[in-house]
C-alpha cells in the first residue's frame, strides 16, 4: 500500500496515534524526583551538603546549636583574635550584625580557642570589649567543630541556607559586596 491510497484524515489519525502512544510510554517511564530536603542530602562540609550540626557555648556559657537556626540564613565565621586578617574583618562583621540581625540572617562567629597560648576566653572577652563588638561569639574550646568543618585557615566563612544546606565556603576575607549579594540571594529563595 502506498501513501497515495490513504486519505489525509486516516494519515493524521495514524500519526496522532503513534505520537500519543510514544508520549504515554515516556510518561509511564518517568520517575518523580523528590525535591531536595535535609533528609535526602548528604551531610558534610562541601557546597551542597547538609551542614553538620554542632553545639558550642557562647561567651556567657549559654549553649548554642546550629540546628536552632533552621529556617534562617546562617553565616559562620571561624576566626582567632591574634590573626591580623581576622582582626581587620571584625568591624565589617559588627556592621553586618547590626544591619541584618533581625532580618532572618544569623551571624555566628566561632573563635578557635587554643590556637595560640594567648587565644583564651579571657583574652577574647577583652578583645571584644576594647573594640566594642557585640556580635555573637561561640567558643570552640577543643577545636572539634573546627576540625569537623575542615577549617585549615582563618578566617573561613560558611554560608548556609534556610534548609541547612551549605551554599558557599570562602577561605580568607569575604569581600563585603560579595557577601551582601550572597546573603540577598539566599534570603530571596
Amino acid at each position: 500500500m502506498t501513501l497515495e491510497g490513504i486519505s489525509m484524515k486516516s494519515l493524521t489519525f495514524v500519526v496522532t496515534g503513534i505520537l500519543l502512544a510514544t508520549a504515554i510510554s515516556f510518561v509511564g517511564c518517568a520517575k518523580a524526583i523528590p525535591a531536595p530536603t535535609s533528609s535526602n542530602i548528604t551531610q558534610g562540609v562541601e557546597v551542597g551538603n547538609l551542614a553538620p550540626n554542632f553545639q558550642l557555648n557562647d561567651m556567657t556559657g549559654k549553649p548554642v546549636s546550629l540546628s536552632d537556626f533552621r529556617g534562617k540564613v546562617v553565616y559562620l565565621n571561624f576566626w582567632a583574635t591574634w590573626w591580623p586578617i581576622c582582626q581587620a574583618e571584625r568591624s565589617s562583621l559588627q556592621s553586618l550584625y547590626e544591619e541584618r540581625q533581625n532580618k532572618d540572617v544569623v551571624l555566628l562567629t566561632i573563635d578557635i580557642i587554643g590556637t595560640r597560648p594567648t587565644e583564651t576566653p579571657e583574652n577574647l572577652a577583652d578583645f571584644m570589649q576594647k573594640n566594642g563588638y557585640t556580635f555573637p561569639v561561640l567558643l570552640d574550646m577543643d577545636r572539634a567543630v573546627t576540625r569537623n568543618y575542615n577549617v585549615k585557615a582563618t578566617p573561613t566563612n560558611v554560608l548556609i541556607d534556610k534548609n541547612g544546606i551549605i551554599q558557599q565556603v570562602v577561605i580568607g576575607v569575604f569581600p563585603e559586596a560579595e557577601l551582601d549579594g550572597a546573603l540577598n540571594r539566599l534570603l530571596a529563595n
Side-chain angles (χ1 to χ4, degrees):
M1 185 186 314
T2 66
L3 285 178
E4 296 157 4
I6 299 176
S7 71
M8 189 55 111
K9 189 175 184 180
S10 297
L11 184 59
T12 303
F13 181 74
V14 169
V15 170
T16 303
I18 291 171
L19 290 174
L20 187 58
T22 304
I24 289 171
S25 69
F26 280 124
V27 170
C29 294
K31 231 183 183 180
I33 300 172
T37 66
S38 58
S39 63
N40 67 2
I41 294 180
T42 303
Q43 183 174 330
V45 295
E46 302 296 324
V47 170
N49 291 159
L50 179 64
N53 191 33
F54 60 82
Q55 183 177 47
L56 293 172
N57 289 339
D58 68 11
M59 291 177 58
T60 67
K62 177 185 168 197
V64 176
S65 295
L66 178 61
S67 61
D68 294 342
F69 304 106
R70 189 62 58 89
K72 296 184 179 217
V73 172
V74 177
Y75 173 30
L76 299 180
N77 174 268
F78 291 85
W79 68 295
T81 60
W82 56 266
W83 187 238
I85 295 170
C86 292
Q87 292 171 4
E89 186 182 51
R90 296 305 99 186
S91 61
S92 64
L93 288 178
Q94 181 64 36
S95 296
L96 172 81
Y97 176 67
E98 290 170 2
E99 292 168 14
R100 297 214 183 224
Q101 67 178 327
N102 296 319
K103 298 180 182 171
D104 287 333
V105 174
V106 175
L107 169 64
L108 296 176
T109 67
I110 300 173
D111 190 278
I112 309 167
I113 298 295
T115 53
R116 290 223 171 141
T118 57
E119 195 68 18
T120 64
E122 297 77 22
N123 286 346
L124 171 62
D126 288 345
F127 175 83
M128 296 293 287
Q129 183 181 13
K130 284 178 189 171
N131 292 289
Y133 298 141
T134 59
F135 53 80
V137 181
L138 305 180
L139 308 177
D140 193 2
M141 300 295 287
D142 61 3
R143 294 181 250 163
V145 175
T146 301
R147 281 191 298 277
N148 196 25
Y149 273 77
N150 202 26
V151 173
K152 302 291 184 204
T154 58
T156 292
N157 305 279
V158 181
L159 279 182
I160 303 169
D161 71 14
K162 296 173 185 177
N163 297 312
I165 308 301
I166 296 174
Q167 295 297 319
Q168 192 167 355
V169 177
V170 175
I171 299 169
V173 173
F174 204 145
E176 284 183 63
E178 185 182 334
L179 173 60
D180 196 49
L183 289 171
N184 288 336
R185 282 189 299 279
L186 291 175
L187 286 170
N189 291 336

